[in-house]
Amino acid sequence: MKRYKLRIDGPSGKIETVINDPGPERIGIALIAHPHPLHGGTLDNKVVQTVADTLLSLGYVAVRPNFRGVGMSDGDYDHGEGEVEDMLAAYAFVQPRYPDLPLLLAGFSFGAHVQNQIGHKLNAQQVVLIGPAVNMFEFGDVAPNATIIHGGKDELVPLEVVQTWSEAQGVKLVVLEGADHFFHRKLSQLKQTLVELCQC
């Protein structure tokens, strides 16, 4: 198992990226997107870290870029458009180094908004939208092969809003009872849910 911290080339400069590689038994690439850059979202967010650690333990190469303007990434916040470009650039860097591995997309909150767009651009085996902020951003149609994980007591993105969107889209919704938006004291449940989703 190896950990790399890199600054890779992106459309608005360098993109700070952490890559955790499980080694020869790797089963896929997991590209993980963090919450809103203007509200403290980084690749070290505890939900993002939990997702990365869980997928790494399952054999995925876990790739966590910092969006433009965050940490050591160049550029400025771009309302989701440039952030999509950043994630695509990160994948373009990683994919040739791990050819023929299936792709899993995972995003939390604003990151789910970004990944939902990328799911329409890349052929992902799975798209996991965690706490998708559907009341704050225009999600449009859900990406193929998507599953939503949402807290039953999300105070920022009410469950009812997500239920309405998921039902209209015909997409699977997994509700973590008692969980708020940031999954305080519910990260173990989030981890178990991810394991079950990825081992189906």
Side-chain angles (χ1 to χ4, degrees), residues 4 34 63 70 92 103 131 160 165 167:
Y4 306 96
H34 68 68
V63 182
V70 177
L103 173 65
E160 295 76 18
W165 183 67
E167 288 170 6

Side-chain angles (χ1 to χ4, degrees), residues 66-141:
N66 259 337
F67 290 135
R68 55 186 62 193
V70 177
M72 295 182 68
S73 291
D74 296 331
D76 298 297
Y77 172 64
D78 193 32
H79 308 280
E81 295 182 15
E83 288 76 11
V84 168
E85 295 176 359
D86 294 343
M87 296 300 285
L88 291 172
Y91 182 64
F93 174 85
V94 172
Q95 194 277 332
R97 290 158 173 80
Y98 302 98
D100 305 319
L101 288 180
L103 173 65
L104 182 151
L105 300 173
F108 171 45
S109 195
F110 170 80
H113 167 58
V114 171
Q115 295 292 51
N116 191 60
Q117 296 178 70
I118 291 173
H120 290 287
K121 299 176 182 292
L122 298 178
N123 180 26
Q125 188 177 66
Q126 270 188 297
V127 180
V128 184
L129 307 176
I130 302 168
V134 297
N135 59 336
M136 303 177 191
F137 305 99
E138 179 53 56
F139 272 67
D141 292 336

Side-chain angles (χ1 to χ4, degrees), residues 32 35 43-54 107-109 130-131 181-184 187 190 194:
I32 306 162
L43 62 80
D44 292 317
N45 169 272
K46 67 179 183 179
V47 174
V48 171
Q49 185 72 60
T50 297
V51 172
D53 290 345
T54 302
F108 171 45
S109 195
I130 302 168
H181 187 67
F182 294 98
F183 298 91
H184 292 307
L187 291 175
L190 176 60
L194 283 170

